[in-house]
Structures are given as structure tokens and as C-alpha cells.
């Protein structure tokens, strides 16, 4: 098992990977004042730039979708990759050889190889797209035309053709100074002879969210094709992991984030048909069944701000194979933070054939007719019992009750209980009791065992603390103090001028200052130590936001002293108000000693308030 990344190497990657250069590869950035750069957010549609990058602190933040972080976080989000994969991507980019603890380097690759493979894939995709216009590719063009895809559609999706010569791509890429070893590792040519991996096939480039080409999917066109499979895909490479990629993600990502919806179809032409029909959130797994990693990837895309509004819609055939696929997806349903649905076409047509035979509106209608996945599975579960018999109804109830118990939105459970009772022809109270028993069982039937509560995976989004509203005037001083700490820690005296955790009232601001204290003395890579000390995802987002916000005045020790004085003044004023309330409720005759102590504390607090007021007001004049 690969170990942890060496801390020195991680620090070197952070230092060398300039955030303005990395983000600038995906976003056009322009000066935005105060040392910041601005551009259109790559994570949601917008016409007015709300995306800011602060090179001095190494952070980005979008004030439109409230997403932010450091350069590693940006790569994680834009490439839908894990933390380690993002670090490896950046290490390749800046030429750092990563070392790993607790087990060595595992399956790590040499520096620069990923970048070389991505460049080779890009050139290969351009080469294949050009070949689609060649006389040799007429069969491929006919295949597309028969399925309702014209030249514009082929160009939009980057569809290409691999020549039948067998060495055309290899020759083309060698001319661009790629070695055979690199092309073998990219799965573009085969070992022992240098033959092209794809020959005489129609090809679809499989891209990540940043539009980097990770690999290809290829469809057989000719009967004499030596590869028996109708579809073949790029082999596993340092950049292509079939369990982590979704075809169409480059086109669908922003729509998925905007609409809080992802539609899962089965093939490349289904994705094309869906998008051309207006279902622009459609993606497909590539050469493998939809799995847990795909589910986690979509959960990151849809986000966690409103999980009950998010939708993941699966399109299945209505036959036994489709039912089995639905059950398999349901077994991993706990990995989604969104609601899961299923869309079944009664005629059995896939989206591509449905578009051909009934038009684009029919494809949109297919998705609009979606039903909750649990309900579809429940109906199929019940269908296996004879409901005309008492024992059959009881067996169906015991099999279906755990499904109702697993519904995320508890406000819907009562309605579903009545629905199940109606389906079974059983008393509602009996169904309610069985659903309650299902929730208490520690061991559920095999098809429902996954519904038992368990900790979320490490990379699954967490709801975290509530996000503070940056426009909340009641929290303006708390936010301003933390903004100054994040952006200019050098202007503070020891112990942050006496600021304390209790001075912060919002839980996210409080947790952020706790992380500041835990991070210790400011260093040259500040506020990275604060990010590492933060245990809540919301806190990391707040840090990113503060790092990109402009200061109201130039940073100085006096400015810091004034801000902390304002913060402590508010805290002391709250304490005074509480103490006065206690004094009013205390009888000075019956409880004289306690009353006198509180009164003495009040006098001391009033003295502190006067001193803090003087500092908060700033120098005279």
C-alpha cells in the first residue's frame, strides 16, 4: 500500500506550483485590484467574474458558488481527483519527485510521465478527429449518420477514426518526439512491434472536467476486425482509471453543478443523444459498470449544500438485466449525498434509439418520468411474492420495509408507508410497525445490509459547519479580524493581540480561530498551517474566501490593534449584558456576598470596555 507523501516534498510542490499559473491554465485571469486576479468561475456558469485568485496567499475563491481553497484543492475539483492524485499532477508539472512513507512508492510513476501522456492523448485526439474526414472513414461516418449524428455533432463530441494501417498514429506521435515507451504506457501503441492500439475503429475521447484527454473508447466497424469486442477502451494508465472516469463529464460538469442533477446512461452514443436532446447532464461509465468511485465523483460534482434537492438519475432497460443493474446501484446508494432515481423506457429503447425513433422530446420525457430508485426496487422486490396469499404479503412486507426505512427524507416516510400498504393491500399500522422493526434490526437481508448506518468514506463530501454570510453586519468585526489574520499575520503582536476563541460567536469563525491558535506562529507559507489545522471543510472554504478578500485599509500593527479591540469590545459588552441580567435577578440582601462579587466584576468589565473603546476608535485626528 502506498504511503503518505513526504511533508518536505508536499511543501515543495505547494511552493513551486504557483496558483496563478495553474488556475490560469483553465481560467482567463485579469488584474482585479489589491493584488488579486479575477475571472469567470470554472465551476459554475456566470457572466460577471466572481472568481478571485490571490497569488500572495496561494488561494482561490468564488463568491458566486462559495467554492475555494489552495492550488491542490483547485486541481482536485477541476480534475475530480483525490488529494494524492492532485499532488502527483502538480508534482509532474513542476518537476518534483515525490517520496512516500509507510510502504514506499507503491505504483507511483516517474516525474513528468503523466504530463507526457496527457499531451500524447491530446495530439492523438486531434489526429483521430482529422481522420474522420478521410475516405477510409466512410463506414464510420455512415455509422454516425444512421444514429442521427451529423458532422457538427461529431466535432462537438470530438469523435474520430483510427486508420486501418496499424502504424499511422505511432508515426504521427513519434514525429512529435514521443518515445515508444511513453506511447506504450499511454496505451496508444502495443508492446513488441509498435502497432497502434486502436485500428479501424470509431473513437470517442474520454476527457476529465478540465477537458484533458485521459483515454479513448472505440467501436468496431468492420467484420474483419481482429479485436472481437464491439467496444474496447484504453487500458489502465497513470491517467486513465476506468473506475474514476465518466464519458461526457467535460461537457456535463457545469450543467450538473448548476442543475444539481446527473443522468447516467450506458454508452457513448447515448450521451451524445441525451445532450443533443437537451439532457446536458448526461454521462456514462467507460467500459465498466457504474461503481462506488463513480458515485463519489458525482457526489463531489453535485455538492453538499442541498443534498435533498440533488438528483442522480439512472436509465435502465425494463428487462431482467435492467432490474439487476438497479439492484446493484441501490446496493451502493449510501455513497450518494443526493436522491437517486431511475428512468425506464417502456419500449426498451436506449436514449440513442429513442431519439431516432421518437425524437428529442421523447428523450427529455424519459428523464422527466423518473421515479425514486428505492420505489422501483421496492416494486420489483414485491413482484417476487404472491400477494394473494397471507404468507406472500407478509414476506413482501418484510422484504420491502427496510427500503422505506432507508429513505433519507424522513418527512416522506409516512407517505411511503401508506403507499406500501396500498401496494400490498395491508393495514397501514402493520406496515408502520414492520418499518420501525426494520430500523432496529442490526442485521438486514443481504440486499438491504448496505443501508445500515456507517461512517462516510474519507473523500465523501461532508456537510460541515454552517457557512457564515459575508454580508452579515453583526459578524462584520469577527470576519474582518480573521481576514486580517489570514492575509497579514505579521502585523499582530504576540497571542494575536489578546484575541480569544470566546470572542467569536459564529461556529465557523470560532473553529477558524481555534485552527489559527493550533497552527502556532505565522510562517512564510501562511495560512497553509491554518488549513492543515482545520478539521472542518467549511472552515477551509472560509479561509479561502478571506484570503481573496481585499483589506479595507493597508495592514499595519495599529490596524490590527484596532480590529482586535473592536472584537474584544463586543465580547466584553456581551459579558456585561449577561452580568447585568444576573444582577437584576439577584437579591442584594439575601445573597449579599454573591451580589458584591458580581458588582465588582461589572466594574472591572466596564473599565475594560472603556480602554477597548479608546483603542478601537484609533488614534485621534
Amino acid at each position: 500500500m502506498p504511503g503518505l507523501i513526504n511533508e518536505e516534498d508536499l511543501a515543495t510542490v505547494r511552493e513551486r506550483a504557483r496558483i496563478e499559473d495553474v488556475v490560469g491554465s483553465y481560467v482567463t485571469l485579469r488584474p482585479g485590484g489589491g493584488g488579486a486576479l479575477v475571472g469567470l468561475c470554472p465551476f459554475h456558469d456566470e457572466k460577471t467574474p466572481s472568481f478571485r485568485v490571490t497569488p500572495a496567499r496561494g488561494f482561490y475563491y468564488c463568491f458566486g458558488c462559495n467554492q475555494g481553497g489552495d492550488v491542490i484543492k483547485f486541481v482536485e475539483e477541476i480534475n475530480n481527483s483525490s488529494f494524492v492524485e492532485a499532488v502527483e499532477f502538480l508534482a509532474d508539472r513542476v518537476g518534483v519527485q515525490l517520496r512516500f512513507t509507510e510502504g514506499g512508492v507503491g505504483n507511483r510513476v516517474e516525474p513528468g510521465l503523466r504530463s507526457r501522456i496527457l499531451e500524447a492523448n491530446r495530439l492523438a485526439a486531434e489526429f483521430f478527429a482529422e481522420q474522420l474526414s478521410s475516405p477510409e472513414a466512410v463506414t464510420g461516418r455512415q455509422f454516425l449518420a444512421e444514429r442521427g449524428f451529423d458532422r457538427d455533432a461529431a466535432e462537438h463530441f470530438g469523435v474520430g477514426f483510427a486508420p486501418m494501417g496499424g502504424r499511422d498514429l505511432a508515426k504521427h506521435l513519434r514525429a512529435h518526439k514521443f518515445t515508444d515507451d511513453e506511447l506504450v504506457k499511454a496505451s496508444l501503441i502495443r508492446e513488441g512491434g509498435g502497432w497502434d492500439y486502436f485500428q479501424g475503429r470509431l473513437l470517442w475521447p474520454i476527457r476529465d472536467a478540465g477537458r484533458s484527454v485521459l483515454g479513448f473508447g472505440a467501436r468496431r466497424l468492420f467484420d474483419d476486425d481482429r479485436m472481437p469486442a464491439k467496444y474496447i477502451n484504453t487500458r489502465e494508465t497513470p491517467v486513465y482509471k476506468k473506475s474514476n472516469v465518466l464519458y461526457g463529464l467535460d461537457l456535463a460538469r457545469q450543467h450538473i453543478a448548476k442543475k444539481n442533477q446527473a443522468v447516467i446512461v450506458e454508452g457513448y452514443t447515448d450521451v451524445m443523444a441525451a445532450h443533443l436532446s437537451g439532457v446536458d447532464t448526461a454521462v456514462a461509465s467507460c467500459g465498466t459498470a457504474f461503481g462506488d468511485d463513480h458515485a463519489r465523483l458525482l457526489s463531489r460534482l453535485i455538492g453538499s449544500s442541498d443534498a435533498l434537492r440533488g438528483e442522480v438519475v439512472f436509465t435502465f432497460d425494463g428487462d431482467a438485466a435492467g432490474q439487476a443493474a438497479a439492484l446493484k446501484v441501490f446496493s451502493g446508494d449510501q455513497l450518494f449525498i443526493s436522491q437517486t432515481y431511475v428512468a425506464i423506457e417502456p419500449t426498451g429503447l436506449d436514449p440513442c434509439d429513442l431519439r431516432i425513433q421518437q425524437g428529442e422530446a421523447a428523450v427529455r420525457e424519459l428523464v422527466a418520468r423518473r421515479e425514486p430508485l428505492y420505489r422501483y426496487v421496492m416494486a420489483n422486490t414485491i413482484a417476487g411474492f404472491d400477494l394473494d396469499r397471507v404468507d406472500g404479503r407478509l414476506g413482501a412486507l418484510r422484504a420491502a420495509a427496510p427500503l422505506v426505512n432507508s429513505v433519507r427524507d424522513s418527512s416522506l416516510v409516512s407517505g411511503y408507508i401508506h403507499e406500501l400498504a396500498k401496494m400490498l393491500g395491508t393495514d397501514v399500522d402493520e406496515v408502520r410497525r414492520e418499518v420501525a422493526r426494520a430500523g432496529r434490526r442490526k442485521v438486514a437481508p443481504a440486499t438491504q445490509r448496505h443501508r445500515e448506518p456507517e461512517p462516510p468514506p474519507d473523500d465523501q463530501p461532508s456537510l460541515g459547519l454552517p457557512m457564515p454570510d459575508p454580508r452579515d453586519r453583526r459578524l462584520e468585526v469577527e470576519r474582518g479580524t480573521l481576514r486580517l489574520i489570514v492575509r497579514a499575520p505579521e502585523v499582530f503582536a504576540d497571542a494575536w493581540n489578546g484575541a480569544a476563541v470566546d470572542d467569536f460567536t459564529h461556529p465557523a469563525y470560532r473553529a477558524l480561530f481555534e485552527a489559527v491558535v493550533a497552527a502556532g506562529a505565522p510562517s512564510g507559507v501562511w495560512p497553509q498551517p491554518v488549513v492543515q489545522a482545520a478539521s472542518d471543510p467549511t472552515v477551509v472554504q472560509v479561509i479561502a474566501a478571506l484570503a481573496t478578500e481585499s483589506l479595507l485599509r493597508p495592514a499595519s500593527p495599529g490596524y490590527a490593534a484596532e480590529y482586535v479591540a473592536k472584537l474584544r469590545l463586543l465580547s466584553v459588552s456581551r459579558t456585561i449584558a449577561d452580568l447585568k441580567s444576573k444582577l437584576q435577578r439577584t437579591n442584594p440582601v439575601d445573597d449579599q456576598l454573591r451580589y458584591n462579587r458580581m458588582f465588582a466584576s461589572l466594574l472591572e468589565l466596564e473599565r475594560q470596555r472603556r480602554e477597548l473603546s479608546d483603542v478601537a476608535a484609533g488614534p485621534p485626528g
Side-chain angles (χ1 to χ4, degrees), residues 308 407-415:
L308 294 178
V407 174
R408 285 191 185 86
D409 190 348
S410 59
S411 65
L412 299 176
V413 171
S414 178

Side-chain angles (χ1 to χ4, degrees), residues 120-424:
N121 285 343
R122 183 186 68 81
L123 293 172
E126 292 177 355
F127 175 80
F128 291 140
E130 292 174 358
Q131 296 303 309
L132 186 61
S133 301
S134 67
E136 189 181 28
V138 62
T139 303
R141 295 194 296 273
Q142 290 174 350
F143 174 93
L144 293 172
E146 290 170 357
R147 286 153 180 79
F149 304 126
D150 57 17
R151 180 175 179 176
D152 289 341
E155 291 180 354
H156 180 69
F157 292 94
V159 184
F161 176 76
M164 292 183 285
R167 295 181 183 273
D168 300 77
L169 178 65
K171 180 180 178 181
H172 177 74
L173 293 178
R174 289 184 188 118
H176 284 81
K177 309 303 181 183
F178 285 93
T179 66
D180 282 10
D181 179 63
E182 290 173 330
L183 299 180
V184 168
K185 291 177 178 177
S187 189
L188 292 172
I189 68 173
R190 299 181 183 275
E191 289 186 274
W195 293 91
D196 291 347
Y197 187 76
F198 301 106
Q199 302 173 28
R201 290 201 169 218
L202 202 63
L203 285 106
W204 287 264
I206 300 168
R207 299 184 173 99
D208 62 17
R211 298 191 65 80
S212 295
V213 181
L214 306 178
F216 299 89
R219 209 274 187 189
R220 185 177 62 196
L221 295 173
F222 305 103
D223 293 337
D224 60 352
D225 193 317
R226 290 174 294 177
M227 299 292 289
K230 180 184 293 187
Y231 285 92
I232 60 174
N233 291 77
T234 296
R235 298 190 314 269
E236 296 274 309
T237 73
V239 302
Y240 181 83
K241 304 288 188 296
K242 62 184 179 181
S243 63
N244 290 331
V245 298
L246 291 169
Y247 175 69
L249 185 64
D250 55 314
L251 300 173
R253 170 168 182 147
Q254 288 194 355
H255 301 292
I256 290 173
K258 182 178 180 180
K259 298 179 179 179
N260 288 330
Q261 181 198 69
V263 177
I264 315 302
V265 298
E266 292 192 352
Y268 305 112
T269 56
D270 291 332
V271 171
M272 295 176 69
H275 278 254
L276 294 174
S277 299
V279 184
D280 50 16
T281 59
V283 294
S285 55
C286 303
T288 185
F290 190 92
D292 294 352
D293 290 333
H294 296 125
R296 296 187 182 105
L297 187 155
L298 286 178
S299 291
R300 292 199 298 268
L301 284 179
I302 293 174
S304 59
S305 60
D306 195 351
L308 294 178
R309 287 184 56 201
E311 297 181 356
V312 179
V313 183
F314 292 88
T315 59
F316 295 120
D317 294 334
D319 56 13
Q323 295 174 18
L327 282 169
K328 184 179 185 300
V329 169
F330 188 80
S331 69
D333 186 44
Q334 82 283 355
L335 298 173
F336 291 102
I337 60 169
S338 303
Q339 300 295 292
T340 46
Y341 294 81
V342 60
I344 302 295
E345 171 52 40
T347 63
L349 297 175
D350 59 32
C352 182
D353 290 335
L354 185 62
R355 175 174 175 264
I356 295 171
Q357 296 187 25
Q358 299 183 29
E360 295 179 349
V363 179
R364 296 191 295 272
E365 179 63 23
L366 168 64
V367 177
R369 289 196 311 267
R370 66 198 180 280
E371 63 175 313
L373 177 62
Y374 88 89
R375 184 184 297 165
Y376 175 78
V377 173
M378 185 168 67
N380 280 276
T381 300
I382 293 173
F385 297 87
D386 183 357
L387 301 184
D388 291 331
R389 296 168 55 90
V390 174
D391 58 342
R393 290 194 295 273
L394 180 59
L397 173 58
R398 288 176 175 172
L403 302 178
V404 178
N405 180 263
S406 68
V407 174
R408 285 191 185 86
D409 190 348
S410 59
S411 65
L412 299 176
V413 171
S414 178
Y416 293 151
I417 287 175
H418 283 79
E419 185 176 342
L420 178 57
K422 183 177 179 181
M423 295 171 67
L424 296 174

Side-chain angles (χ1 to χ4, degrees), residues 417-554:
I417 287 175
H418 283 79
E419 185 176 342
L420 178 57
K422 183 177 179 181
M423 295 171 67
L424 296 174
T426 304
D427 183 73
V428 172
D429 290 335
E430 183 179 354
V431 175
R432 184 177 289 108
R433 287 192 295 270
E434 186 60 36
V435 170
R437 280 194 290 269
R440 293 192 296 267
R441 292 190 191 111
K442 293 184 179 180
V443 180
T447 56
Q448 283 85 40
R449 190 165 297 147
H450 64 279
R451 308 297 288 189
E452 294 294 331
E454 59 184 41
D458 291 340
D459 59 349
Q460 182 172 338
S462 171
L463 295 179
L465 294 171
M467 177 68 77
D469 184 352
R471 297 164 298 183
D472 191 338
R473 297 185 64 84
R474 296 169 300 176
L475 301 173
E476 184 177 352
V477 174
E478 293 182 30
R479 189 177 186 90
T481 303
L482 291 171
R483 182 192 303 119
L484 193 58
I485 288 175
V486 168
R487 297 212 55 178
E490 67 280 358
V491 301
F492 286 84
D494 292 342
W496 304 106
N497 289 63
V501 171
D502 290 340
D503 293 333
F504 297 89
T505 60
H506 193 283
Y509 292 154
R510 185 185 184 95
L512 199 165
F513 190 72
E514 289 176 343
V516 168
V517 174
S523 62
V525 294
W526 191 268
Q528 199 57 51
V530 185
V531 174
Q532 294 171 346
S535 59
D536 186 272
T538 298
V539 175
V540 177
Q541 295 295 316
V542 174
I543 295 171
L546 296 176
T548 60
E549 291 179 2
S550 300
L551 298 176
L552 301 181
R553 285 165 41 193

